[in-house]
Amino acid sequence: MLTVVGACVGCFCNMQLRVQESSNLVMHMLVLYGNTGCKMDLTCNGNTVAVIGKMLPECKYTPCIEEHNIHAIFRWTSVWSILQSSVRLDRALQRGPSHALPGVGADTVAMPTADCDQATSHFLQETGLTLSITTLGTCIYRFGKKRHRDPCHADAHQQQHCMPSHSEYSAETEEIIFHLCRYMHHIITTS
Amino acid sequence: MAGLGGVAAVCDKMLRLHAELPGWTTMQRTPSTRKLTEMINANIDDLPREVLLLNEGKSLQVVSEGNILNIHILKTCTKRNEEHCVLEESEWTCWERAFEVLWEQKFTNPESFNERTYYRQRYVEGAQVGKIDDDVQKVGVDRVRAAGMLAECSSTPEMSRHKRTKRQKIACREENCVGRVKVTTFMVFVLESTTRVFFVSDRIAARNGERNNFSVPKAVNICYTGTVTGTIHPTAISAEMRQAKKRGPCGSEIHVDTSMGVMQIFGNNGGSRKITCKAFLNIVEANYIVRRVCGMV
């Protein structure tokens, strides 16, 4: 049941919001949690870095700092690039095992192809992903909208704030993001 | 006692697999791989640090008092998610009487229903577990020798499967028992491309095993932004919603807390108000709450 500060929605009859219309909601932060189920080699020359480097588009990698934290961070500025690379990988797998990458079979989680509409494509281009992986296998996928840094603007702090985008965002867009996340998790877990 | 103020390092022994790519991987956590880790923890001093896997696999055996541990590493998997571990446990009992050595293998895996198999060992005088004319040795079961002998003879022509006769059944009494051996066999199926395995110590040990099981990523927190327009009377709404402070958190004017997430309405900006929906799990639920709140006019 929907409750509003302890009160039932049904008790809202006296509230006069008088809201006439609302614009569509747009996601500005989306966090998913998963686990690889195995311990992870997160060192600079380790397996996870090698797998991500081989199977996914270029990203910024921040290694674990010994004694301080036990997670490594991988950042992609645009999840659209991951979607496109997954389509290329799917095609490589369809061409046969000689093109496939080691440890990745045809049962790899199929990605929604680049058939998504222009608004979704635009939204995904503007959306970044920060993946945090711990040595115990915990993965936190954080998708976020950030304004592109423009050196002409002086107030860098303000630029980093999450601002609502005018991009269209729908349940379909969200489903693509969820699917993309499952795809990446499959890559990290099974490659 | 640990040193005052000192923190004892928690170490977990584990099996690391090395293949074509740099670095190492481990197998996904399952009840069997947990037992494998427990076994490695208990026997780390007896296990080699590194095992090269040149051909289709490798077998290791550790024999100790009353115990035999077999580890068979088999390179059979084409994908990492096929990697797994199978555990087989059995208890062997040896009887020695009248120039005859008989072994019973009782499988102790829950799914084996205590199935029993009998084997007859070729008798060589003086080489057996106990000496039949020596009462002291017969009573005191020689567990060390029994494990060693079983390790040497099992799966060789020295030992043949045998259907126990009625006479042998009578003879297989406790006073004729000369040894018991627990045999634990791990069959570890790894990627075909695996080149080496390492038995190593890991500084970070998982205390909560269940929490670290494999899980598909699921949404835990999604925040949305939007705008609403219309006449809103924040004071009245705050009073209606028993909002203690004049304003909601994060600079919002109105704070709507629901079981699906939190909706916040911010100040009027030229007739339009920014709204945020926080801690939702999908947009369908967030849209539902926004529609519900907006519909309360």
Side-chain angles (χ1 to χ4, degrees):
Chain A
M1 190 199 340
L2 175 67
T3 55
V4 181
V5 197
C8 167
V9 172
C11 303
F12 261 68
C13 37
N14 291 331
M15 278 181 60
Q16 295 295 305
L17 280 173
R18 297 194 190 283
V19 176
Q20 289 149 358
E21 59 179 74
S22 71
S23 69
N24 286 337
L25 290 178
V26 176
M27 178 276 285
H28 68 259
M29 188 188 78
L30 190 154
V31 182
L32 295 101
Y33 169 91
N35 198 296
T36 63
C38 49
K39 291 195 178 175
M40 305 299 286
D41 177 9
L42 299 172
T43 54
C44 300
N45 301 314
N47 187 267
T48 308
V49 171
V51 165
I52 289 177
K54 195 162 192 171
M55 310 283 285
L56 295 166
E58 198 178 339
C59 64
K60 190 183 167 196
Y61 160 68
T62 309
C64 305
I65 302 165
E66 272 299 306
E67 308 298 335
H68 286 281
N69 55 30
I70 52 161
H71 64 267
I73 295 168
F74 300 85
R75 284 195 180 91
W76 288 266
T77 49
S78 163
V79 294
W80 179 247
S81 63
I82 304 171
L83 190 71
Q84 286 184 312
S85 79
S86 72
V87 174
R88 283 198 294 273
L89 178 63
D90 276 356
R91 284 181 190 148
L93 288 168
Q94 282 161 17
R95 279 205 298 268
S98 59
H99 293 84
L101 292 154
V104 178
D107 65 341
T108 302
V109 176
M111 274 306 301
T113 55
D115 293 342
C116 53
D117 57 49
Q118 204 176 351
T120 301
S121 142
H122 183 239
F123 185 88
L124 295 174
Q125 282 171 40
E126 285 190 337
T127 303
L129 167 63
T130 302
L131 165 60
S132 162
I133 311 181
T134 72
T135 48
L136 289 175
T138 303
C139 295
I140 295 170
Y141 297 84
R142 187 186 181 282
F143 293 84
K145 296 278 297 169
K146 278 189 181 176
R147 281 176 71 179
H148 294 293
R149 285 165 185 263
D150 182 355
C152 301
H153 287 80
D155 193 355
H157 176 73
Q158 197 179 22
Q159 285 173 44
Q160 288 203 37
H161 272 269
C162 297
M163 296 295 286
S165 164
H166 296 294
S167 306
E168 289 289 320
Y169 185 80
S170 62
E172 287 74 34
T173 316
E174 196 161 89
E175 194 48 50
I176 288 174
I177 292 174
F178 289 164
H179 205 121
L180 181 74
C181 193
R182 288 197 291 271
Y183 167 81
M184 290 184 70
H185 198 66
H186 185 85
I187 294 276
I188 293 161
T189 308
T190 63
S191 303
Chain B
M1 187 182 162
L4 287 172
V7 179
V10 181
C11 281
D12 194 8
K13 312 298 186 292
M14 60 191 282
L15 184 71
R16 285 180 176 174
L17 313 169
H18 291 247
E20 290 167 349
L21 285 173
W24 49 264
T25 59
T26 62
M27 295 169 73
Q28 264 188 14
R29 296 177 191 98
T30 61
S32 292
T33 58
R34 280 213 180 84
K35 292 230 171 166
L36 179 69
T37 302
E38 282 169 20
M39 177 278 292
I40 296 169
N41 271 314
N43 296 279
I44 192 75
D45 295 334
D46 299 321
L47 292 167
R49 180 177 151 73
E50 180 183 353
V51 177
L52 277 172
L53 298 175
L54 299 173
N55 302 315
E56 60 270 10
K58 189 109 179 178
S59 293
L60 307 171
Q61 190 172 62
V62 177
V63 182
S64 58
E65 187 181 334
N67 288 294
I68 296 176
L69 171 65
N70 296 310
I71 306 165
H72 304 296
I73 303 164
L74 305 157
K75 298 188 346 177
T76 57
C77 307
T78 53
K79 285 172 271 174
R80 263 193 70 201
N81 54 355
E82 287 174 359
E83 288 183 333
H84 67 287
C85 169
V86 175
L87 170 63
E88 189 184 271
E89 289 174 298
S90 62
E91 196 176 279
W92 291 70
T93 309
C94 180
W95 292 277
E96 191 173 329
R97 186 171 162 76
F99 305 104
E100 189 174 46
V101 179
L102 198 69
W103 288 90
E104 178 196 73
Q105 184 187 19
K106 186 171 87 176
F107 291 92
T108 51
N109 288 50
E111 67 276 16
S112 67
F113 305 108
N114 285 337
E115 186 192 331
R116 287 157 203 253
T117 313
Y118 292 89
Y119 296 88
R120 190 161 58 184
Q121 187 185 335
R122 193 192 297 170
Y123 183 83
V124 179
E125 197 170 355
Q128 270 62 42
V129 179
K131 291 175 188 166
I132 51 169
D133 54 353
D134 186 336
D135 286 337
V136 178
Q137 286 230 356
K138 260 190 345 185
V139 174
V141 172
D142 190 343
R143 296 176 71 87
V144 181
R145 284 192 63 198
M149 194 170 68
L150 180 63
E152 270 179 33
C153 299
S154 62
S155 309
T156 68
E158 290 285 305
M159 217 136 127
S160 56
R161 203 162 170 168
H162 176 72
K163 195 171 182 227
R164 200 167 56 155
T165 63
K166 199 171 180 182
R167 186 182 62 81
Q168 286 168 334
K169 199 172 180 181
I170 296 161
C172 291
R173 294 194 304 266
E174 190 58 36
E175 59 263 37
N176 293 330
C177 172
V178 290
R180 280 200 177 84
V181 184
K182 188 185 172 194
V183 178
T184 310
T185 302
F186 288 93
M187 279 164 284
V188 184
F189 299 87
V190 299
L191 261 186
E192 282 172 347
S193 58
T194 310
T195 52
R196 286 170 299 156
V197 299
F198 281 77
F199 295 95
V200 293
S201 288
D202 185 8
R203 188 173 52 84
I204 297 139
R207 288 183 184 83
N208 185 346
E210 291 300 312
R211 198 178 55 195
N212 296 307
N213 282 347
F214 172 81
S215 63
V216 172
K218 286 196 171 66
V220 289
N221 182 13
I222 312 180
C223 302
Y224 305 94
T225 311
T227 50
V228 292
T229 55
T231 310
I232 299 174
H233 302 289
T235 319
I237 291 162
S238 295
E240 181 68 34
M241 291 163 57
R242 297 166 206 165
Q243 195 172 283
K245 294 178 188 170
K246 276 190 175 178
R247 301 173 77 88
C250 308
S252 63
E253 279 194 13
I254 303 155
H255 179 85
V256 183
D257 196 356
T258 80
S259 57
M260 296 177 193
V262 170
M263 180 181 165
Q264 290 173 339
I265 304 173
F266 290 80
N268 196 333
N269 183 16
S272 143
R273 287 170 182 267
K274 179 185 157 189
I275 58 165
T276 59
C277 293
K278 294 178 176 172
F280 280 82
L281 297 183
N282 58 64
I283 192 156
V284 177
E285 290 181 357
N287 277 331
Y288 171 79
I289 293 298
V290 172
R291 275 199 306 273
R292 203 66 200 266
V293 172
C294 290
M296 291 170 197
V297 291

